[in-house]
Amino acid sequence: MIGADGQRDEDEGAPGPGGRRRGLLKAAGVALAGVLVLSAAGAGWVYWHLNHNIKSVDINGALGDDRPPKAVATPSASASPLPSGSLNILVLGSDSRSGKANAALGGGDSTGARSDTAMVVHIDEGRTEATVVSIPRDTLVTRPSCPTPSGGTSSVAYGTMFNSAYSLGGPVCAVKTVESLTGVRMDHYLEIDFSGFAKLVNAVGGVTVTTDEDIDDDQSHLHLKAGTHLLDGTHALALARTRHGIGDGSDLGRIGLQQKLVKALLEQISSTSLLTSPAKLYQVADAVTGSLTTDTGLDSLGELTKLGQSLGSLSADHVRTVMMPVVAAPSDANRVVAREPAAGELWASLK
């Protein structure tokens, strides 16, 4: 059980080491595939409900052709109908959704949206290896001109915070800014909100993480002693957001915790017997789909399931997590800028 301090009670068994650890997207796909089985067995309303949960944004239509080129796929000799080419997916964690659930967890309203977490997930051709690159939200960038939700167009902004792109123009501007920064085309976009992330963690029974130092952060309401903890959704979200209670209080320390949390969640989902428990399967699938905003290429249960199935050979052991190389900004010691040529070399390796 989870104690009041967020720690596992001593008589609670630790998760066993058995089984291969699967990637987060694959695990979500397995859950969604199970839902498809349920719907085929007569629960068509379940399929409709979960499919209806997913929100989408037409990023390709908004950005047009003024983008980096798509990766050229090598023809596959396999007869499998599943795609196997490389992919780049921009994954954002945001507080963009209004409502009581997000407000209780510290989320902003619909006019104060922020992207608290940004990761570029690169999946290699063949889909057996992946690299997750975190972009610090405090990075100063040149934000390109973006279409705005009101129908206008924003001006180019120099030396502005990376996460201002989402605040200004939502997913479309976030994608365009990442593509401008990296020179890499984003094939897809996935966004998860505060309450959805917390629900997902609760649905799989919490996540087990080990912290190397005490964390005392009144702003994220997180107080943990160094050691191993089983965290529920609220505490896991607080861990993902904490920054003032660790290291120098910058966004860089938080990124390490976020990457550790992603792997812990991936492992927990993979070790949960979703297909043998229809109730838990539905709970997880409802949390996943209900918290997602995607591009129009992934806005259906079928497309998400197909993506998950295509990652069947991707294990967590072959997922590398890194941060974009940065240095302190000359204009502001509390901000960072991309460190060249290292950052450029990293992005070039993902094309």
Side-chain angles (χ1 to χ4, degrees):
M1 295 179 63
I2 304 170
D5 61 352
Q7 299 190 49
R8 179 196 294 273
D9 289 343
E10 291 184 359
D11 62 349
E12 177 85 0
R20 297 180 64 193
R21 297 180 299 170
R22 299 297 185 181
L24 178 58
L25 290 175
K26 182 210 170 183
V30 169
L32 296 175
V35 173
L36 289 176
V37 173
L38 290 177
S39 66
W45 66 271
V46 172
Y47 182 94
W48 178 90
H49 171 74
L50 296 174
N51 205 58
H52 189 69
N53 272 347
I54 304 166
K55 310 293 189 300
S56 67
V57 177
D58 186 4
I59 291 174
N60 288 336
L63 295 183
D65 297 326
D66 185 21
R67 306 176 66 185
K70 293 183 178 180
V72 178
T74 302
S76 174
S78 171
S80 171
L82 295 174
S84 60
S86 64
L87 281 179
N88 289 297
I89 305 173
L90 177 60
V91 179
L92 293 187
S94 78
D95 63 352
S96 63
R97 305 278 183 86
S98 59
K100 292 182 179 180
N102 277 312
L105 293 167
D109 59 29
S110 57
T111 62
R114 297 168 297 177
S115 55
D116 273 6
T117 304
M119 297 179 178
V120 173
V121 178
H122 172 80
I123 302 168
D124 289 355
E125 187 166 351
R127 306 199 178 181
T128 59
E129 296 185 342
T131 301
V132 179
V133 185
S134 294
I135 302 175
R137 74 174 197 171
D138 292 343
T139 304
L140 297 182
V141 301
T142 297
R143 189 183 66 222
S145 174
C146 296
T148 60
S150 63
T153 303
S154 67
S155 299
V156 176
Y158 300 95
T160 190
M161 289 266 287
F162 167 75
N163 69 341
S164 70
Y166 185 94
S167 300
L168 177 72
V172 171
C173 196
V175 168
K176 188 165 186 180
T177 300
V178 168
E179 291 184 341
S180 175
L181 173 67
T182 66
V184 178
R185 186 186 182 102
M186 297 297 109
D187 300 294
H188 291 297
Y189 172 85
L190 290 171
E191 176 188 329
I192 186 167
D193 68 20
F194 277 7
S195 63
F197 176 79
K199 287 178 182 177
L200 176 58
V201 172
N202 286 335
V204 298
V207 291
T208 301
V209 297
T210 300
T211 57
D212 300 325
E213 59 182 305
D214 294 349
I215 299 176
D216 287 296
D217 187 353
D218 290 333
Q219 294 196 33
S220 66
H221 309 292
L222 183 66
H223 302 278
L224 289 177
K225 295 294 184 182
T228 300
H229 308 272
L230 175 62
L231 304 179
D232 61 12
T234 300
H235 287 95
L237 179 62
L239 183 68
R241 301 186 65 215
T242 191
R243 61 187 292 180
H244 300 287
I246 56 172
D248 60 1
S250 73
D251 194 42
L252 306 186
R254 173 167 60 178
I255 283 175
L257 289 176
Q258 290 174 346
Q259 292 178 339
K260 183 179 294 187
L261 184 60
V262 165
K263 286 213 169 186
L265 179 58
L266 154 175
E267 291 168 4
Q268 182 63 20
I269 292 175
S270 301
S271 66
T272 303
S273 301
L274 297 177
L275 298 181
T276 61
S277 174
K280 183 173 285 294
L281 172 61
Y282 175 80
Q283 187 180 9
V284 171
D286 193 38
V288 170
T289 58
S291 66
L292 280 183
T293 298
T294 74
D295 65 282
T296 49
L298 288 178
D299 63 351
S300 72
L301 210 54
E303 290 296 336
L304 285 172
T305 301
K306 189 175 181 180
L307 173 62
Q309 291 173 334
S310 77
L311 302 176
S313 298
L314 177 63
S315 70
D317 291 334
H318 292 91
V319 176
R320 179 173 63 122
T321 56
V322 298
M323 184 178 70
M324 180 182 77
V326 295
V327 295
S331 60
D332 186 344
N334 294 318
R335 302 289 180 259
V336 296
V337 294
R339 175 167 59 85
E340 299 296 354
E345 291 170 353
L346 171 62
W347 297 126
S349 72
L350 305 185
K351 292 183 179 179

